[in-house]
Every structure is written in C-alpha cells, then in structure tokens.
C-alpha cells in the first residue's frame, strides 16, 4: 500500500498570503494524484486531478505541481473561504489512498 | 447537474450488516470510464477509500476490508449499494459515495454525496 504523507499537519497563514501544502508518496505515483478541499460539516470537493489540472470551477489561485513522490498544492492569495482541510489522494496502485490532511487555518 | 445521495441506517449494532445505497443523477453508470466509489471518514479523522465499481461491473475493494465488503450496481435505478458485514464500533464514520472518473489511467472522485453518519453501538 502506498502511504501518502502530508505536511505540515496544520498551516497558519494570513488572508492574502500564499500557502504551500506538501504531499509525499512512499513510492512513485507518477502524476496520478488529486487534491480535495473539505470544510467543516461538508463533503470533500475536488480541486486538482492529474497532479496539476484544475477541476471545473476551481479558481486559478489554486495550482498543483509535482510528479513521482513529491507534490505541492499552492494557493496564491488566500481568501477567507479557503481555510479548510486539504487531502491528497493517489491512484497509481491499488488500494487508493489518501493523506492524513493538512488543516489550513487563519493566522 | 450531477448529484449523489447516500441513504441507510444511522445506527447499527455490533456484528450487524450495514447496507448503504447511493442514488445518483446526472450521469450514467453505463458510460465508459465512469464508476461510483465509497469513502468513509471517522469523526475527526482522515478519509479512507472502501470500494468502487466501474461501468463494466469491474469491482475494487480496500484489501483491509475486502472480506467484509460487497459493492453492486443497478444501472436502471441509478443506484450503487455497499454492504459491510460484522460491523464494529470502530466502523463509526461518515460514509460518502462519489462519482469516479477515469481518463488515461488517472482516477478521481467528483462530485461527492453529502455523506451519511453511521454509528455502531449496542
């Protein structure tokens, strides 16, 4: 099973600043990586798939990069609605696995 | 508009079997590359993938839960059913279903249902 490790567990950033979230795979997942955003009491929402392709309706301030074992989700200028928990998910090998999440909080 | 909604019991007793139904609209489970997956989330914890079923009836299960899970589809009713046997309090979680899209070997879940909280307690 591929283990996905996200860092940091919690990230404190001020509105308007840039946030960088990391996801590391225990072995290569090529570009078969997705990012999701989850707000309290809500279901996850797809942000990025294929490591760098924004899902429909996702603002351009969200970007994904990386391949192999190292991935990054960048939010260029944080808006109030961006404070949430973010998960990465790999599909390169079964089983599908998720990271443990990064909580993005207001500084 | 694509929607999915989970339904089933909110409370089950230990050792019982859980049956959850995902009813969806806005897409067809007979379209190539489309599937439906189940993911759960214990309170305050991370997401855990459970199972998925593809348009061609190919099924995949989490190895750690495979012996307890069965996923089926009824294309005519736009429903996917997940059964989990021998429920335990550690299975208490919000259970989500989500549409699966697979394009050029890349797979993702979008969109997700609202989720249903299942509590396992005697």
């Amino acid at each position: 099973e591929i283990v996905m490790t996200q860092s940091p567990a919690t990230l404190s950033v001020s509105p308007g600043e840039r946030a960088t979230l990391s996801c590391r795979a225990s072995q290569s997942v090529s570009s078969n990586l997705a990012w999701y955003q989850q707000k309290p009491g809500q279901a996850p929402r797809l942000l990025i798939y294929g490591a760098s392709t924004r899902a429909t309706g996702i603002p351009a301030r969200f970007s994904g990069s990386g391949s192999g074992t190292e991935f990054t989700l960048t939010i260029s200028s944080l808006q109030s609605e961006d404070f949430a928990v973010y998960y990465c998910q790999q599909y390169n090998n079964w089983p599908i696995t998720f990271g443990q999440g990064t909580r993005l909080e207001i500084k | 508009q694509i929607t999915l909604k989970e339904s089933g019991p909110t409370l089950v007793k230990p050792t019982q079997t859980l049956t959850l139904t995902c009813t969806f609209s806005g897409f067809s489970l007979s379209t190539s590359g489309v599937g439906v997956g189940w993911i759960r989330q214990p309170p305050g914890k991370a997401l855990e993938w459970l199972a998925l079923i593809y348009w061609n009836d190919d099924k995949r299960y989490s190895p750690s839960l495979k012996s307890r899970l069965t996923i089926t589809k009824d294309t005519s009713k736009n429903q996917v059913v997940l059964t989990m046997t021998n429920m335990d309090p550690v299975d208490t979680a919000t259970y989500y279903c989500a549409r699966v899209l697979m394009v050029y070997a890349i797979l993702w879940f979008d969109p997700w249902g609202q989720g249903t909280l299942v509590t396992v307690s005697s």
Side-chain angles (χ1 to χ4, degrees), chain B residues 1 33 37 41 43 68 88 111 118 121:
Chain B
Q1 182 188 6
Q41 185 174 38
R68 300 172 53 204
D88 183 272
V118 177
S121 175

Side-chain angles (χ1 to χ4, degrees), chain B residues 98-118:
Chain B
R99 183 186 65 164
V100 172
L101 287 178
M102 187 166 157
V103 178
Y104 300 119
I106 300 174
L107 179 154
W108 62 92
F109 298 101
D110 179 54
W112 296 51
Q114 65 188 26
T116 186
L117 175 61
V118 177

